[in-house]
Amino acid sequence: MTIQDSATRPPSIALGGTALAAVAVFSFSLSFPATVWVLEGFGPWTAAGLRGVLAALLAGGCLLVGRVPLPARADRLGLSVVALGCAVGFPLLTTLALQTSSAAHSAVVIGLLPLATTVFSVVRTGERPSRGFWCASTAGAAVVLGFTVVQSGGGIGLADGYLFAALLVCAAGYAEGGRLARHLPGWQVIAWGLVAALPITGATTILALGAEPIHVNAHGVIGLFYLAVVSQFGGFVLWYRGMAAIGVPAASQLQLAQPLLTLVWAVSILDERLSPAMPVAALGVLASIVVTQRTRS
């Protein structure tokens, strides 16, 4: 699908695309609260594995129904990066982090994801962004690093290590997925990534089920299906369709609200308490991302 210029895009298409992208951002912002719910009933390895398996079965079904041909050989390495970053690494690492880290704290750290993705993208594509871009990127990273050190009492804890690792692998997956989406429909990129990750997520699930206890409850089941159906696959379908309709810059502006929305859910759904530094750091990251988008070229 060719992304139209915003000046020639019909208002009805732009409005519909904005709505789809906004719903996707809204759905992604609930991922951390859903993960906290899942951990009430499942161990972290079981949760991450089951989430990937269920999402892969859904994605594979869609590929079969759509009679989508196998991806070209040249695309398979890139899809492997998407699989390892978005379907395996990010879900597992953030789930491990949320065993001890609050959803609000995690949202601030992961709020750097759009900026990290942009950095990976410019390195991968060989772009030469302006000095202002790199200054803003460094400032955003410094805000998050300073926040984590202060919140952890002068150091970086294990949970923050998981979050930073999740940030890096997911950014690589997003950047590679964005490159592939230039010639493949976006939903097929994430679908093939999930299917490619199935041997890993399947093996993880089998091993974890024998090692971790399960206490089935409503929160755990609801959270698990939300992560598999919405966070891991369905949200991406809406996101890519919205992006195709309104363009990448406009969609990215909507994504800036995601960490702030997660802070709201952390308070209202999980009854977490926000430290004064959390909203300040989130706004600092948001500002740095805005600057990087405006100074990229």
Side-chain angles (χ1 to χ4, degrees):
M1 180 182 295
T2 301
I3 300 177
Q4 295 173 294
D5 183 81
S6 60
T8 61
R9 193 176 295 114
S12 60
I13 294 179
L15 181 61
T18 299
L20 288 173
V23 171
V25 169
F26 182 91
S27 68
F28 290 147
S29 72
L30 284 160
S31 295
F32 281 175
T35 302
V36 173
W37 275 14
V38 171
L39 289 172
E40 293 181 14
F42 301 89
W45 291 85
T46 304
L50 281 174
R51 166 184 177 173
V53 168
L54 293 174
L57 292 176
L58 176 61
C62 292
L63 291 169
L64 287 174
V65 170
R67 297 183 178 180
V68 179
L70 290 173
R73 186 179 299 273
D75 293 332
R76 293 176 187 176
L77 179 59
L79 288 171
S80 297
V81 175
V82 174
L84 293 174
C86 300
V88 177
F90 185 82
L92 176 59
L93 291 167
T94 53
T95 302
L96 291 171
L98 284 165
Q99 290 182 105
T100 56
S101 176
S102 69
H105 177 95
S106 301
V108 174
V109 177
I110 296 298
L112 200 62
L113 180 57
L115 189 152
T117 301
T118 303
V119 172
F120 269 96
S121 179
V122 299
V123 171
R124 181 71 174 83
T125 59
E127 293 182 31
R128 294 181 178 273
S130 67
R131 182 178 299 176
F133 168 88
W134 292 114
C135 289
S137 299
T138 302
V143 167
V144 172
L145 182 60
F147 168 79
T148 55
V149 169
V150 169
Q151 292 289 292
S152 300
I156 297 178
L158 181 60
D160 288 322
Y162 285 139
L163 291 171
F164 279 120
L167 179 69
L168 293 176
V169 298
C170 190
Y174 273 13
E176 195 64 22
R179 184 186 69 82
L180 292 170
R182 294 176 181 176
H183 60 275
L184 287 175
W187 76 269
Q188 291 183 21
V189 173
I190 188 60
W192 283 120
L194 289 167
V195 171
L198 185 57
I200 299 176
T201 54
T204 298
T205 301
I206 293 172
L207 294 174
L209 283 173
E212 294 179 336
I214 295 177
H215 305 286
V216 178
N217 57 49
H219 277 180
V221 173
I222 292 171
L224 179 61
F225 277 92
Y226 185 89
L227 291 174
V229 176
V230 180
S231 300
Q232 198 80 29
F233 182 59
F236 278 97
V237 174
L238 296 177
W239 176 245
Y240 283 123
R241 286 187 177 181
M243 184 180 292
I246 65 176
V248 174
S252 297
Q253 292 295 328
L254 293 173
Q255 195 177 26
L256 299 180
Q258 186 172 322
L260 298 176
L261 283 172
T262 300
L263 293 183
V264 173
W265 309 140
V267 172
S268 60
I269 296 176
L270 304 177
D271 293 323
E272 293 183 359
R273 294 182 178 273
L274 300 185
S275 70
M278 288 180 179
V280 173
L283 290 172
V285 172
L286 187 152
S288 69
I289 296 172
V290 171
V291 174
T292 58
Q293 289 183 340
R294 293 182 177 181
T295 61
R296 179 168 175 172
S297 58

